[in-house]
Amino acid sequence: GRAQRQFVNCSLGILARVRRRQQAEVLLDHLGTIRTLSRTQTRLEELTREEEWPAAISLLLECIKVSSTYKHFTAIAQLSTKLGDTLVMTEELLDTALAKQCSNFQAANYAKLQEAYSLLGKTQTATDQLLMHFTTATHNTSWQVVYGHVCLMQDLPRPPPYPDLCREVQQESFLPCLTDLVRALWGIMLSYHSLVQWHRKGWVEEKEDSIATQQYTRNKLEAGLGRIWQDVQSKVKQFVLGSDLSQFSIESFLHFLDLLHRLIMVGQELTSGASLGGQEMNSTNSALLQDSLVQQCLNYFSSYHTSRLEELATHLDNEGWTICPVKHTFSYQLLAEFSHLNTLRSPSKSTNGSSSLFQQFSNSGTPFDSLCQESLEEDILLEGGENSGYQDSDSEDDLSEEQKQELVEENKDTGRTGLTPLARLPSASTTTSSPLSGLTVSNTAIMVLRLVGRYSHMMKVLTPIAGEVWRGICQLFEFYLYTVNMFFSRDLSDTEQNVYSVRLRETLTNIYSTVVLHEMRDGEQGLRVVGCVREATQLEGGDRDCSHGLPARVVGVESAVFLATQLTSLRHLLSLSDNTEAVDMFYTNTVAAAVDLRCPVYLAGVSHCLNTDSLLAQMAKVSWDLRDVVSQHSQYVDHLLHQLQMFSSRLVKLGMLVPLPTSLQVVLWEQATRVASTMFVDGFSSARKCTNEGRALMQLDYRQFVIKLEKLSGLKPVPFQQFVSNYIKAYYIPENELGQWVEEHQEYSTAQLRALVAATAYNNNKTKQKLNSLINDLSDRIRR
């Protein structure tokens, strides 16, 4: 029995020791786990410093799970509470790291954050937090940028709210501050765009946790595209409305519009990739920023346009009508005012061919950097030897007192003759001995083209008022066209007024009624002033009505034609999407009418070259009541041809002062022929007695003139032959058919038709009275 008890005791002792050893091993294992848990804090700090968020969250969640197993230990219970606090702190660090993605998106870091939130099961919460962070970043960034610029100029006792802060921005700080503001906001939009692109790639690869989570994130982020863009517009709008734009120079104003236009391009590209709902939001709110500034910009443009019209009138008052020595290749593209055509294309094209602003500037730079570069210098004037063929500028600053006195005396002479004596112009003998070539354009025409460049700039970057700006462009050209006509065709005689085309006459009438300031009777209300700019006046008033000779007329008219060609080239850039009819009418009527201005203006100039009064006096002495047919033409024909020979010499000298291409020479010769043809008809109509043999002499005289003129002018056939021939043949028409002929030939003057009736129906007073009444009716109809 004793041995048995000893055996049992030994066995139980062994079992007890084994149990204690097992308990010790378990205890050691538990202590090891507790030690590991206690060291988790240090490891977590290391992982969070290294921004290894998934590893940190995994470790923390595992520790929390383990701690729940050993929560019966007092130390573990305390550690579990501490781990819970650590989890809260880690989530706050996660949130802080998430907020940093708003201004500097890093795909690798963001992927870790998303994985960490996925481990926490808070992907949807992260999406909501992200949108809040972007809103906060937009506000804080805007405030910090504006506050920094305000503090540079003044001391603020305490930081004001953002709207009040914007009103503190000084005018000289406005553009630099706006530039920094849109650059900072670009960084936020770029981050959001990159973030959405990252998610879209994940949606395609179906990396999201679940369909519900993916759909929730998609809806939130795509709705956020419009929300972010609205926040950006709101901050920029508040900034701009805090300043007075009316005091800006045109360069500053255009730079301001460029920045807004580029920002809107960025916003439209940002929201264009949204779903259907996002696109609807884009179409509704993409112009929020523009629309809010319409009234301010419209007021600025109205004031600017009014002052530019007055400036144009002043320039035309003082225009010397000499050619500006521009390069032969000169066009609107060489002017700095049109440089915006290279920088404001939508979407912007980069050197690597990328059409996306977000792709183009994803790594460095911003879309606004190119707008801050200084424009290139112009190179439009001829250089050195190229310039030898042109006269100097019409500026009097470089002239000596003696030269100024000579010019005054020449102006007095030209006031008496009506044509600048070509031999006396200073450039005729000193500048060149060969015909000029190149473009004929005046200084004022280049000024108009520069203004068109600025106006087209406004049309592109501020579409809500594009219609008003377009009307401004129309008025600039219309006023120039009207003034050239007024200066150079006012000396046309009443009988020469019919050379105006219907299109040109209607255009000039419309310009006077809508553009030129004048009084108009308004029923019972009396007189009221209409129009928008005073009529330009030449320096010496009425004394200079006939003083401009062919050189000045050529410069004036060809400058208007040059402007018309440039506007035609710009037509694709000056289109109005909502009013194409107005654009078409302007080009069809007004721009096309510039070429029609050549006939009346050049006719007025050429008329002074031919002394038709002396020739008509010679024709009056010719005896037309011949009894025999003669074979020798009359002497006045030789005198007329001699004057045309002198006119040909004048054209040669004129070609040394202004470029005279063949087409322009043809126009001038046509006007000379028109003057001569009118003189022939006037002379023939003044014949009191004329036999058939006398009519034959008339035909012989005119035929001799045509043959000689063909050789002299090179015109084949000579124009206006039918005008003279039909009039001579009309004397052979029976009395009963004369009325119909008069109605069909309204190109003749009243005096010419009455002379024809008197000579043809001299024996029938009733017929003569009837025809004269018809002529009076036709004359009144034409005058109206």
Side-chain angles (χ1 to χ4, degrees):
R2 186 178 178 181
Q4 186 176 3
R5 285 196 302 272
Q6 289 179 346
F7 176 76
V8 170
N9 290 335
C10 288
S11 298
L12 291 173
I14 292 172
L15 290 174
R17 284 193 293 271
V18 169
R19 183 184 176 190
R20 283 195 298 270
R21 184 167 59 196
Q22 288 177 340
Q23 288 176 340
E25 288 177 351
V26 171
L27 181 59
L28 286 173
D29 184 53
H30 289 172
L31 290 173
T33 301
I34 293 172
R35 184 179 63 180
T36 301
L37 289 175
S38 66
R39 292 177 178 176
T40 300
Q41 188 69 30
T42 304
R43 180 57 181 159
L44 279 173
E45 291 176 357
E46 292 176 359
L47 291 174
T48 53
R49 278 198 305 269
E50 296 170 359
E51 295 187 345
E52 295 294 336
W53 305 111
I57 295 299
S58 296
L59 177 60
L60 190 55
L61 292 177
E62 184 180 352
C63 290
I64 292 174
K65 182 179 180 181
V66 171
S67 67
S68 65
T69 304
Y70 300 99
K71 62 183 178 180
H72 53 280
F73 293 107
T74 304
I76 293 297
Q78 294 175 350
L79 184 60
S80 179
T81 302
K82 187 175 181 181
L83 287 174
D85 295 339
T86 303
L87 179 61
V88 173
M89 291 178 61
T90 305
E91 288 185 8
E92 290 178 357
L93 291 174
L94 269 178
D95 192 56
T96 302
L98 190 65
K100 292 180 180 179
Q101 299 296 312
C102 296
S103 56
N104 185 22
F105 178 80
Q106 299 292 332
N109 292 345
Y110 186 72
K112 294 177 182 178
L113 290 170
Q114 283 295 308
E115 185 179 350
Y117 275 110
S118 179
L119 291 172
L120 289 171
K122 294 185 176 182
T123 302
Q124 295 184 5
T125 303
T127 303
D128 295 336
Q129 286 294 109
L130 189 64
L131 293 174
M132 291 177 59
H133 287 317
F134 269 100
T135 300
T136 303
T138 302
H139 174 77
N140 292 342
T141 301
S142 302
W143 190 91
Q144 290 167 4
V145 169
V146 178
Y147 183 73
H149 279 271
V150 171
C151 288
L152 289 175
M153 306 299 292
Q154 58 181 303
D155 294 328
L156 294 176
R158 55 183 178 180
Y162 182 74
D164 296 338
L165 187 64
C166 293
R167 286 191 282 271
E168 299 295 330
V169 177
Q170 302 294 322
Q171 184 173 337
E172 56 269 26
S173 301
F174 179 85
L175 283 177
C177 184
L178 178 61
T179 303
D180 289 344
L181 177 61
V182 294
R183 281 173 173 167
L185 293 175
W186 154 257
I188 294 175
M189 289 189 287
L190 175 62
S191 294
Y192 194 85
H193 179 270
S194 302
L195 183 147
V196 172
Q197 292 301 112
W198 185 90
H199 276 280
R200 283 175 177 162
K201 185 178 179 181
W203 297 333
V204 173
E205 298 174 0
E206 297 184 353
K207 290 183 178 180
E208 296 285 354
D209 301 31
S210 66
I211 296 178
T213 301
Q214 176 179 330
Q215 190 62 40
Y216 182 86
T217 305
R218 181 195 293 268
N219 292 341
K220 283 287 186 177
L221 291 180
E222 292 197 344
L225 289 167
R227 179 178 169 183
I228 294 296
W229 174 226
Q230 279 188 303
D231 289 343
V232 169
Q233 288 187 95
S234 175
K235 295 303 176 186
V236 177
K237 172 187 171 182
Q238 288 178 335
F239 175 79
V240 174
L241 292 179
S243 298
D244 182 11
L245 302 180
S246 63
Q247 303 302 316
F248 282 18
S249 67
I250 184 61
E251 290 76 14
S252 298
F253 185 72
L254 289 176
H255 188 192
F256 154 72
L257 292 181
D258 286 345
L259 291 171
L260 292 192
H261 178 73
R262 184 59 59 86
L263 180 65
I264 289 172
M265 288 172 59
V266 171
Q268 289 175 340
E269 185 177 332
L270 176 69
T271 56
S272 63
S275 61
L276 180 61
Q279 287 179 346
E280 290 175 351
M281 182 178 294
N282 176 34
S283 62
T284 304
N285 296 331
S286 63
L288 171 66
L289 183 58
Q290 275 190 332
D291 293 342
S292 66
L293 302 174
V294 165
Q295 194 57 48
Q296 270 188 302
C297 294
L298 188 58
N299 292 342
Y300 181 92
F301 173 74
S302 298
S303 174
Y304 178 76
H305 178 58
T306 300
S307 60
R308 294 292 76 75
L309 281 175
E310 179 58 33
E311 182 182 3
L312 177 57
T314 303
H315 274 261
L316 289 169
D317 291 343
N318 297 276
E319 175 63 69
W321 301 110
T322 57
I323 53 178
C324 184
V326 295
K327 291 180 177 293
H328 295 182
T329 57
F330 172 71
S331 71
Y332 70 87
Q333 296 170 327
L334 299 181
L335 293 176
E337 285 75 8
F338 288 91
S339 60
H340 66 275
L341 299 178
N342 300 321
T343 59
L344 291 180
R345 292 192 173 91
S346 177
S348 177
K349 293 286 184 179
S350 66
T351 53
N352 59 13
S354 172
S355 60
S356 169
L357 291 170
F358 288 102
Q359 293 176 11
Q360 182 179 344
F361 300 101
S362 59
N363 297 321
S364 63
T366 74
F368 309 98
D369 297 340
S370 60
L371 302 179
C372 301
Q373 298 173 357
E374 294 185 2
S375 59
L376 299 177
E377 293 185 1
E378 290 181 346
D379 182 21
I380 64 172
L381 298 178
L382 292 174
E383 301 174 358
E386 291 181 280
N387 194 25
S388 60
Y390 283 102
Q391 298 182 55
D392 293 334
S393 169
D394 60 340
S395 172
E396 297 183 358
D397 296 340
D398 300 327
L399 298 179
S400 66
E401 291 299 325
E402 295 179 358
Q403 290 173 318
K404 291 180 180 179
Q405 185 61 32
E406 290 178 3
L407 289 176
V408 171
E409 293 177 357
E410 287 174 4
N411 284 335
K412 291 180 180 178
D413 292 337
T414 57
R416 288 191 293 269
T417 61
L419 179 69
T420 304
L422 304 183
R424 304 176 86 186
L425 285 174
S427 299
S429 60
T430 59
T431 57
T432 182
S433 58
S434 59
L436 290 184
S437 61
L439 296 175
T440 303
V441 57
S442 67
N443 289 313
T444 309
I446 294 179
M447 171 194 168
V448 172
L449 195 56
R450 290 186 188 278
L451 289 175
V452 171
R454 288 174 174 170
Y455 283 32
S456 65
H457 194 162
M458 290 189 211
M459 286 183 66
K460 285 297 178 185
V461 298
L462 200 59
T463 52
I465 67 167
E468 291 297 322
V469 180
W470 164 253
R471 280 189 282 275
I473 292 177
C474 296
Q475 288 175 356
L476 290 173
F477 178 73
E478 289 171 346
F479 185 62
Y480 188 86
L481 185 73
Y482 175 87
T483 303
V484 170
N485 172 75
M486 181 186 67
F487 280 2
F488 298 122
S489 66
R490 62 177 56 179
D491 47 349
L492 273 177
S493 64
D494 293 338
T495 58
E496 294 171 330
Q497 294 294 326
N498 59 358
V499 299
Y500 281 94
S501 66
V502 175
R503 176 175 60 186
L504 179 58
R505 189 181 298 279
E506 291 178 351
T507 296
L508 294 173
T509 302
N510 181 63
I511 294 172
Y512 179 76
S513 61
T514 59
V515 179
V516 180
L517 278 174
H518 64 282
E519 291 183 341
M520 186 179 74
R521 185 165 296 280
D522 188 14
E524 299 178 355
Q525 299 179 3
L527 296 177
R528 65 185 179 95
V529 178
V530 296
C532 53
V533 60
R534 66 174 176 82
E535 193 172 73
T537 55
Q538 293 167 278
L539 284 179
E540 296 181 18
D543 295 337
R544 293 191 57 170
D545 286 354
C546 301
S547 66
H548 288 294
L550 284 177
R553 295 177 197 270
V554 169
V555 172
V557 174
E558 297 309 310
S559 294
V561 174
F562 173 78
L563 279 177
T565 60
Q566 295 301 298
L567 286 173
T568 302
S569 302
L570 284 164
R571 181 168 185 174
H572 65 289
L573 301 171
L574 301 177
S575 57
L576 291 176
S577 57
D578 58 342
N579 197 358
T580 56
E581 183 179 353
V583 177
D584 293 340
M585 287 183 61
F586 174 72
Y587 276 96
T588 303
N589 299 330
T590 308
V591 175
V595 178
D596 300 345
L597 199 58
R598 285 172 170 163
C599 282
V601 172
Y602 293 153
L603 177 61
V606 171
S607 297
H608 296 293
C609 299
L610 303 178
N611 189 354
T612 55
D613 291 340
S614 64
L615 292 170
L616 287 173
Q618 294 179 33
M619 292 183 72
K621 297 177 181 179
V622 176
S623 177
W624 302 108
D625 54 346
L626 300 177
R627 294 286 179 251
D628 299 317
V629 177
V630 296
S631 59
Q632 180 63 34
H633 63 270
S634 304
Q635 190 175 6
Y636 72 88
V637 177
D638 294 328
H639 291 154
L640 173 59
L641 290 171
H642 176 69
Q643 289 196 27
L644 290 172
Q645 184 71 49
M646 294 175 61
F647 175 74
S648 178
S649 300
R650 285 188 169 186
L651 288 187
V652 173
K653 293 181 180 180
L654 178 64
M656 297 177 185
L657 300 175
V658 293
L660 276 187
T662 304
S663 59
L664 190 52
Q665 293 183 40
V666 168
V667 174
L668 291 170
W669 272 111
E670 285 177 349
Q671 302 316 309
T673 306
R674 184 194 298 271
V675 173
S677 300
T678 303
M679 185 211 70
F680 269 107
V681 174
D682 286 340
F684 294 157
S685 66
S686 63
R688 296 183 178 181
K689 294 182 180 180
C690 185
T691 61
N692 289 338
E693 290 77 10
R695 303 295 174 200
L697 178 58
M698 291 179 180
Q699 291 178 330
L700 174 64
D701 289 346
Y702 186 65
R703 186 59 189 162
Q704 178 68 17
F705 164 77
V706 170
I707 294 173
K708 296 291 185 180
L709 184 60
E710 282 185 350
K711 296 179 181 178
L712 181 61
S713 66
L715 297 178
K716 290 185 180 180
V718 172
F720 308 110
Q721 292 188 54
Q722 291 296 321
F723 179 74
V724 180
S725 299
N726 287 341
Y727 190 81
I728 298 175
K729 294 175 182 178
Y731 285 93
Y732 301 104
I733 295 177
E735 291 182 11
N736 57 351
E737 298 178 8
L738 193 57
Q740 181 180 353
W741 187 93
V742 168
E743 288 188 359
E744 294 174 353
H745 292 79
Q746 299 180 21
E747 66 270 23
Y748 298 101
S749 68
T750 303
Q752 292 167 348
L753 292 175
R754 284 176 177 165
L756 176 64
V757 169
T760 307
Y762 59 90
N763 288 327
N764 192 333
N765 290 331
K766 186 176 181 181
T767 301
K768 185 188 301 185
Q769 185 177 1
K770 179 181 178 182
L771 290 174
N772 283 329
S773 177
L774 173 62
I775 292 171
N776 290 333
D777 292 341
L778 292 175
S779 177
D780 293 339
R781 196 184 311 165
I782 293 173
R783 192 177 298 111
R784 286 196 297 269

